Amino acid sequence: MDEVKQLVQDIKNGNLKPIYFLMGEEPYYIDKISDFIEETVLSEEERGFNQVVLYGRDITVEDIVSNAKRYPMMAEYQVVIVKEAQDLSRTIEKLTPYAENPQRSTILVINYKYKKIDKRKALYKGINKVGVVYESKKLYENQVADWIRRVLSPKDYTITPKASQMLVEFLGTDLSKISNELQKLQIILPTGSQITPELIEENIGISKDFNNFELRKAIGERNVVKAHQIVNYFSENPKDNPMVMTISLLFNFFSQLLHFHGLNDKSPRSVASALKINPYFVNEYINAARNYPMKKVSAIVATLREFDVKSKGVGANAISQGDLLKELLVKIL
């Protein structure tokens, strides 16, 4: 995120490069940087003659070079933006000669989503010498809550840890989807508001009481009644609560609990650092460790692996996902 801020600031300051090659698994920042260049480098009057957007599925690398080599009309720069350039992955290396000698009055922006170019090859070296190669990496799940907080902070909004966890659980690590939901909340909430689980439930439709986060907590506390209530809810709403996601979250939880048991320093700060979790959730692990000794945790991890296979139809074709989940819960508790 800091790299993106610096890149945007450089563009604002007029420190422009002839090529921006935006690549990687996370499309959110690729789109953000590309859109920022599209909207700010040229004035509205200049864009009509000097800005073109191309799509990888419709063009060749030769088309890109041909457009990039044109001169601007009544402007200092022209901007050429290539979207979905990953569709040209088999021929993208043909861009090397242009990268080694780019048109200085052209700002060429390549959006190369979900893939990367080989950093050992001439294309990468050529672009990196004269332009910018930005790799947008996928965030790990335990990094997304902090990302949400950092995105909201400049806009004068805050969010509770549980609300962040609900968004991550429901939307995964897809930053574009999370950003869209946050924007919806910002439209209806006054500046300075705190986003709470109740607001998430009311406006996005994620249950604050019946979700994987609450199931994990109930299991950790050995709250049998609450855990069964949540699993019954999941059984009645299987499309909104896929078993594979539940197993994945529980597997991560008990794997971390196994790690917790092996820690010498179990102070809250040390635990948060070692498990890479928000300090807000440390007590959840401390309480769970009291309820599940290491031997029991090891057995649960093995059970979760077994049920992960079953949830994918191996050896359990005739059993519904809901019944499998109920059986899993009994074995854990």
Side-chain angles (χ1 to χ4, degrees):
M1 192 168 177
D2 291 336
E3 186 181 354
V4 175
K5 285 182 178 178
Q6 185 59 56
L7 204 160
V8 167
Q9 190 59 51
D10 286 344
I11 295 169
K12 283 182 179 178
N13 293 340
N15 182 16
L16 298 166
K17 303 294 183 181
I19 305 177
Y20 291 87
F21 199 98
L22 314 174
M23 64 181 188
E25 290 296 318
E26 177 49 67
Y28 176 80
Y29 282 117
I30 293 175
D31 287 335
K32 283 291 183 183
I33 296 168
S34 180
D35 290 347
F36 182 76
I37 292 172
E38 184 176 351
E39 293 163 7
T40 61
V41 169
L42 299 179
S43 68
E44 192 172 344
E45 295 76 20
E46 291 171 333
R47 286 176 209 151
F49 292 106
N50 297 293
Q51 187 158 285
V52 60
V53 177
L54 308 171
Y55 289 86
R57 65 179 178 272
D58 300 325
I59 59 167
T60 64
V61 172
E62 288 77 12
D63 294 328
I64 296 173
V65 173
S66 175
N67 277 275
K69 283 189 172 180
R70 288 204 306 259
Y71 287 94
M73 293 179 63
M74 296 177 289
E76 187 176 359
Y77 296 104
Q78 70 151 345
V79 176
V80 178
I81 299 172
V82 185
K83 298 190 176 183
E84 311 300 337
Q86 67 273 10
D87 289 339
L88 296 168
S89 59
R90 292 185 178 181
T91 57
I92 196 67
E93 289 293 329
K94 290 182 180 181
L95 193 60
T96 302
Y98 178 81
E100 293 173 340
N101 185 29
Q103 186 86 0
R104 295 290 173 169
S105 57
T106 293
I107 310 298
L108 175 61
V109 184
I110 308 286
N111 295 332
Y112 200 77
K113 295 179 180 178
Y114 314 112
K115 294 184 178 183
K116 299 183 288 185
I117 53 173
D118 192 331
K119 294 181 180 180
R120 298 168 296 180
K121 292 192 175 181
L123 176 60
Y124 174 84
K125 293 175 181 177
I127 297 173
N128 202 41
K129 189 174 181 179
V130 299
V132 170
V133 180
Y134 170 72
E135 183 179 348
S136 186
K137 296 179 180 179
K138 202 86 171 170
L139 293 185
Y140 293 112
E141 189 172 302
N142 60 23
Q143 297 174 310
V144 179
D146 184 58
W147 177 86
I148 292 172
R149 181 186 60 77
R150 294 176 70 184
V151 165
L152 289 173
S153 181
K155 300 170 184 176
D156 202 20
Y157 288 89
T158 57
I159 187 168
T160 67
K162 182 178 176 180
S164 290
Q165 190 72 25
M166 288 170 65
L167 286 173
V168 175
E169 180 204 317
F170 191 71
L171 301 170
T173 58
D174 189 321
L175 301 188
S176 296
K177 287 182 179 178
I178 294 173
S179 177
N180 287 340
E181 297 301 335
L182 291 176
Q183 286 173 16
K184 291 177 188 175
L185 289 170
Q186 289 168 56
I187 290 171
I188 60 175
L189 298 175
T191 303
S193 297
Q194 181 175 64
I195 297 170
T196 63
E198 289 76 16
L199 288 169
I200 296 284
E201 180 176 49
E202 183 180 343
N203 296 288
I204 299 179
I206 308 171
S207 172
K208 67 179 176 62
D209 296 315
F210 297 96
N211 55 64
N212 283 316
F213 171 77
E214 289 297 323
L215 176 62
R216 184 186 77 181
K217 186 177 179 182
I219 289 173
E221 294 173 348
R222 295 190 78 88
N223 186 335
V224 177
V225 173
K226 181 67 181 293
H228 278 287
Q229 286 175 340
I230 295 171
V231 165
N232 287 335
Y233 178 85
F234 284 4
S235 300
E236 294 167 3
N237 302 274
K239 289 185 179 180
D240 294 331
N241 305 279
M243 186 176 178
V244 64
M245 187 178 294
T246 300
I247 290 179
S248 175
L249 183 138
L250 291 176
F251 182 83
N252 288 338
F253 176 65
F254 281 101
S255 296
Q256 287 178 311
L257 200 55
L258 203 59
H259 187 184
F260 175 90
H261 276 297
L263 295 176
N264 292 322
D265 183 356
K266 291 185 171 64
S267 64
R269 180 177 292 183
S270 178
V271 171
S273 175
L275 302 187
K276 295 181 173 58
I277 59 174
N278 189 310
Y280 175 85
F281 299 111
V282 168
N283 281 337
E284 196 175 312
Y285 286 82
I286 293 173
N287 293 332
R290 294 193 189 105
N291 291 323
Y292 299 92
M294 183 177 283
K295 187 175 180 180
K296 175 64 174 175
V297 174
S298 297
I300 290 172
V301 168
T303 299
L304 286 164
R305 286 198 177 102
E306 174 193 341
F307 275 77
D308 179 51
V309 173
K310 286 183 177 180
S311 72
K312 293 165 184 171
V314 180
N317 287 330
I319 306 175
S320 71
Q321 297 273 298
D323 288 339
L324 271 177
L325 196 53
K326 291 174 185 176
E327 183 185 346
L328 171 62
L329 185 60
V330 169
K331 292 202 171 191
I332 290 175
L333 294 173

